[in-house]
Structures are given as C-alpha cells and as structure tokens.
Amino acid sequence: MDAQWRPDFLGSGFQCLTLDLGEDEEGPVVATLVSYAPEPPPPPTLGGRARELLNRLRAPVPPEPVQAVLYIHGWTDYFFQTELADFWAGQGVAFYALDLRRYGRSLRPGQTPGYVTDLQDYDADIEAAMAALTDHVRSAREADTPVRISLMAHSTGGLVASLWAHRHPGRIEALILNSPWLELRGSWIVRTATAGLLEPLARLRPKARLKVPELTNYWRSISRDGDGEWDLDPLLRPPSSWPIRAGWIKAVLSGHAQVARGLDIRVPVLLLASTTSTVAVSWTEAMKTSDSVLDVHLMVQRGLLLGPQVSVFRFENALHDVLLSALPVRRRVYGKLEQWSRAFVLKP
C-alpha cells in the first residue's frame, strides 16, 4: 500500500490515499480513499497559569466516539461532490469517499473500466477503506477512539453498499442510499429473461461488449458543459457510459435478484429519490428535473425490501443524483438529510 496521504485534486482540505488490493489478470488493483477535513479555527489562547490550572482539574475520560461517513459513487463515476463533504463536515462528521477499483482515481492504464464479475469483489475495497479511515481518524486522536461508520452510496454504489451491509451485520451505524440501482428497468421479468440470455456469453466471453445505446442525457443534465452546473473531469466521468460487459451486467443482475428476494439490513436505511423518471434515448427538457437513468417507482418498491427500518424521501424536480439537482432541490434534500441524520447517524 502507498501509505502516504497526499493532496487531492479537489483542493483545500482534501487528501487521498491509495489502497493496494493485490493483482489480477490486468495487473495491480487499487482503490482510492479521499478524506475531507476543513481547516479548523484556532483554539482560544490561555495564559500559562490558566492552562496549568485547567490541566490539574482535567480528569482522564474515555475518548468520545467519532461519527464518520464513507461515500461510494455510481457507475462511470468518481468522487467530486465537494458540497456533500462540506455538509457532513458541518454536521461534525468525519467525511470520506471511496473510488472503487477501476474507477476514477483508481483506474490504471490497461484496465477495463468498472469491470468486475462479482459484486463481492468490492468487499476488499470497502474493508480496506474502513480500516484506513479508522486509522486516519485515530491518528489525530487517542488510539482507542471509537469510530462509528455509516455508508452513503449512489446508484450502482447503492446496490454494492446494500449487499455488503446485508452480508456484514453490525459493521455500520446507518445506510444512506441516493437513487440506488436496485432493479433493472422493466421489472424482474426483463431481468430474468436477460439473465438467461447472458449466462453463456458471460461464462465464455465475460468481457464481451454488449450493443446498447451510449447515451449522454444524464451527463448533459449534470455537467456545466451541458445543462447542469457541475465541473466533471472528462477522463474520470466521460459523457457517455463505459461499455457494458457481459460479465459485469451478469454480476449486477445477480445483485438485483438478491434484493428482490429481500435483504436483512438491521440498521436504519434512508433512500433518497426523485418523484419522477424520464428515461428515453433522445434528450428532452424534462430530464433537467427528473431521474433520467432509473425507474424511481421500481426503485422505491425494491428499497422497502432492504430491511425492517427503511425511510424514503422523494423530491420533486430531482435528478438521478438528487444532490446534483438545482439548488432549491438540493436545499430540500440536505434539510431532510440533516433531519434524518440527527436521529440515526448523530445519535449519542
């Protein structure tokens, strides 16, 4: 592992750490952990006599727990949401984000972008990130400081995080899902039929590229170079999706099937989504005020199968990533997220 934190390209307060995950047939595999710590205000100055008296009165106490959030991005994506980092820092939460293997900061020359054949492969990414996160928090505090981690994830990352939380009970405090991809658009009938057709191809030629439309509609809705307001690195987040490979989509369909059977996530779950979807090949103005990627009604139906304590907040005029919507929408989203987090993430 490259054990050195270094400045991240997002600028002041952001650092990143490369996590070594071994090698596979395409060479070295890494994930990248991004941390955010705004510059704290200077502490009040005490005179020497006052400082001495304070030290005498101060009794040893156990270290206070630290709340942390680990964010996981979606498909053909990377972490760039500085506003989200500012929000969590403002709540007193230690914020971290993870660029999974073969995504964003973690994509290496010669690798197939985003490619895995089993979503459980990301267990290693998440475990390494949680360990490094914990060490990083404790390096600035007592070595035995309790670190309580919540997961926040978007789209395909939401599927990955949900399956991980189901398989690893007791590891996180809460799960926050931003428009998670929990089912293939068109219902389980389409998923079942597609899986049957994919099986031989995924087995014999897992990296075979499927012939699906390469759409730029969602990119247009969020990018400052389109109709959105966000600066996106074209190398890390290209306008159209990466090629869809047979082995990868089979892994995603397998994850959808697990969700459809019902998961048992025993921590509070929050699902954030738009109220409407506009999914089409050609651009329409409605895509500026709706989810242009997923069926939000099906998403919510599947979200209720994640566990016994699922909260759903839906927002008019929200995009697929609700936190990249227009500012009035984002304000509503952050307001609800703060309200919910005070009950389930920032609890004593």
Side-chain angles (χ1 to χ4, degrees):
M1 177 187 295
D2 176 4
Q4 298 299 315
W5 287 89
R6 59 191 184 278
D8 188 71
F9 58 73
L10 291 178
S12 177
F14 289 93
Q15 293 182 300
C16 61
L17 176 70
T18 300
L19 307 172
D20 183 3
L21 302 175
E23 294 192 12
D24 63 12
E25 72 280 359
E26 292 187 340
V29 179
V30 302
T32 308
L33 185 64
V34 180
S35 74
Y36 178 60
E39 196 68 33
T45 302
L46 293 175
R49 181 68 177 169
R51 188 182 306 111
E52 180 182 352
L53 179 60
L54 183 62
N55 289 335
R56 288 180 180 178
L57 294 174
R58 184 178 292 153
V61 294
E64 287 290 324
V66 171
Q67 300 289 349
V69 164
L70 176 62
Y71 174 85
I72 303 175
H73 56 79
W75 172 245
T76 316
D77 208 351
Y78 70 106
F79 174 69
F80 62 89
Q81 291 90 337
T82 56
E83 186 178 80
L84 177 62
D86 278 326
F87 165 79
W88 283 117
Q91 304 302 309
V93 174
F95 180 81
Y96 294 81
L98 178 63
D99 277 11
L100 297 167
R101 62 182 69 195
R102 298 189 176 93
Y103 283 90
R105 299 164 179 81
S106 307
L107 181 62
R108 297 295 183 260
Q111 291 184 333
T112 305
Y115 180 75
V116 292
T117 56
D118 189 335
L119 297 184
Q120 287 195 51
D121 288 353
Y122 294 126
D123 284 15
D125 306 49
I126 295 172
E127 294 290 347
M130 292 179 73
L133 179 166
T134 300
D135 288 346
H136 192 237
V137 168
R138 289 174 174 171
S139 69
R141 297 171 174 83
E142 289 86 346
D144 59 345
T145 298
V147 182
R148 298 174 178 172
I149 302 173
S150 296
L151 278 183
M152 182 175 189
H154 170 60
S155 198
T156 310
L159 175 63
V160 170
S162 297
L163 296 171
W164 183 90
H166 170 71
R167 293 193 305 270
H168 298 85
R171 298 289 305 283
I172 57 174
E173 299 295 306
L175 177 64
I176 303 167
L177 302 174
N178 176 357
S179 300
W181 188 21
L182 301 178
E183 180 59 279
L184 186 69
R185 191 169 65 245
S187 85
W188 69 271
I189 297 175
V190 176
R191 170 170 50 79
T192 303
T194 305
L197 295 171
L198 275 174
E199 180 64 38
L201 182 62
R203 184 175 64 253
L204 299 173
R205 297 174 54 211
K207 291 185 181 177
R209 180 173 177 173
L210 304 187
K211 294 183 178 180
V212 296
E214 296 185 0
L215 306 180
T216 62
N217 296 332
Y218 177 58
W219 174 89
R220 178 173 172 177
S221 74
I222 62 174
S223 173
R224 195 183 302 276
D225 293 329
D227 289 278
E229 57 180 274
W230 304 98
D231 293 315
L232 306 177
D233 187 320
L235 297 179
L236 304 183
R237 208 306 175 194
S240 60
S241 169
W242 289 327
I244 303 300
R245 310 285 176 178
W248 176 81
I249 193 62
K250 182 176 180 294
V252 170
L253 293 175
S254 176
H256 290 166
Q258 292 177 61
V259 172
R261 292 192 295 270
L263 303 185
D264 188 27
I265 300 174
R266 290 284 170 169
V267 297
V269 178
L270 173 62
L271 194 155
L272 307 169
S274 181
T275 57
T276 56
S277 296
T278 306
V279 182
V281 173
S282 300
W283 170 262
T284 69
E285 289 297 296
M287 291 176 177
K288 294 161 64 174
T289 54
S290 60
D291 189 321
S292 60
V293 178
L294 299 178
D295 180 335
V296 292
H297 303 298
L298 185 57
M299 178 196 304
V300 170
Q301 291 175 19
R302 288 293 184 258
L304 297 178
L305 300 177
L306 296 177
Q309 191 174 2
V310 179
S311 305
V312 178
F313 292 153
R314 302 180 68 179
F315 302 91
E316 292 184 5
N317 300 323
L319 301 178
H320 175 52
D321 185 332
V322 299
L323 293 173
L324 300 183
S325 306
L327 182 58
V329 180
R330 298 202 309 275
R331 285 174 175 160
R332 296 199 302 272
V333 178
Y334 279 118
K336 288 295 185 181
L337 181 55
E338 179 178 356
Q339 180 185 48
W340 188 89
S341 67
R342 289 193 179 281
F344 298 109
V345 176
L346 305 178
K347 59 186 185 296

